[in-house]
Amino acid sequence: MCLPFRSSSIKDWKTRLSYFLQNSSNSTKMKSKKVGKHRTYFRPSPEEAQLWSEAFDELLANKYGLAAFRAFLKSEFCEENIEFWLACEDFKKTKSPQKLTSKAKKIYNDFIEKEAPKEINIDFQTKNMIAQNIQEATHNCFSAAQKRVYSLMENNSYPRFLESEFYQELCKKTPITRAAQGT
């Protein structure tokens, strides 16, 4: 469960966001070179940031938006939700059956089992179903849990993110000063 957001200064947000962008840039740069997959590497325009409020998927599909949302979840002490969701997205892309099994066990150990270091909040039946499913891992063995976590983020964390000071700051248009105009 996420704790309520504590008001942080814009400087704190920028520090957190910079950290997430730096740490995620190495893993996403290779993926972003694929044709048709445009990723944002710089601060988005206010118009681009405003698109994130139209749909949760818009936020998750944008590198900067995802990093900002991760920083926000970290400030609410519930970053395990987005980390689990991202681990599941990566898991579903795995082709090798051996890697599928090892990744399934890692996800289970990190997020699902009781007292896991990043334990997510899901019901007992779903946990048991996953424990059985990972014995013969398939791409769908975490689907129910991933849908629950996605729904939790979309309905709880995402609306709070959209109300956050940091997001509101991203959506503000910066006024053009005379110095910026070159006069």
Side-chain angles (χ1 to χ4, degrees), residues 14-130:
K14 287 180 181 175
T15 301
R16 284 189 199 118
L17 186 57
S18 174
Y19 168 79
F20 283 114
L21 286 171
Q22 287 172 355
N23 287 340
S24 64
S25 66
N26 292 339
S27 63
T28 56
K29 278 183 182 176
M30 297 304 284
K31 295 175 188 173
S32 68
K33 291 181 181 179
K34 293 180 181 175
V35 177
K37 294 247 179 174
H38 173 71
R39 299 280 185 196
T40 302
Y41 288 91
F42 302 101
R43 179 185 170 118
S45 68
E47 295 78 17
E48 186 177 4
Q50 288 168 357
L51 285 176
W52 305 342
S53 68
E54 292 178 13
F56 187 47
D57 286 332
E58 288 285 338
L59 174 69
L60 296 178
N62 182 283
K63 179 182 168 63
Y64 197 99
L66 178 60
F69 189 60
R70 285 180 81 171
F72 174 76
L73 290 177
K74 186 171 180 70
S75 75
E76 289 202 332
F77 305 99
C78 60
E79 67 268 23
E80 69 277 358
N81 291 330
I82 193 68
E83 289 177 15
F84 171 73
W85 186 83
L86 290 168
C88 290
E89 288 297 294
D90 178 62
F91 176 77
K92 291 188 288 190
K93 296 174 188 168
T94 305
K95 301 212 182 330
S96 160
Q98 293 82 12
K99 284 186 179 180
L100 200 67
T101 300
S102 67
K103 281 185 178 185
K105 288 179 181 171
K106 178 160 178 40
I107 291 171
Y108 182 82
N109 292 336
D110 288 351
F111 299 101
I112 307 297
E113 75 180 350
K114 188 173 182 170
E115 304 298 323
K118 302 175 188 177
E119 186 176 2
I120 57 171
N121 187 9
I122 56 172
D123 61 88
F124 181 74
Q125 289 89 356
T126 304
K127 283 186 178 200
N128 280 347
M129 182 179 67
I130 291 170

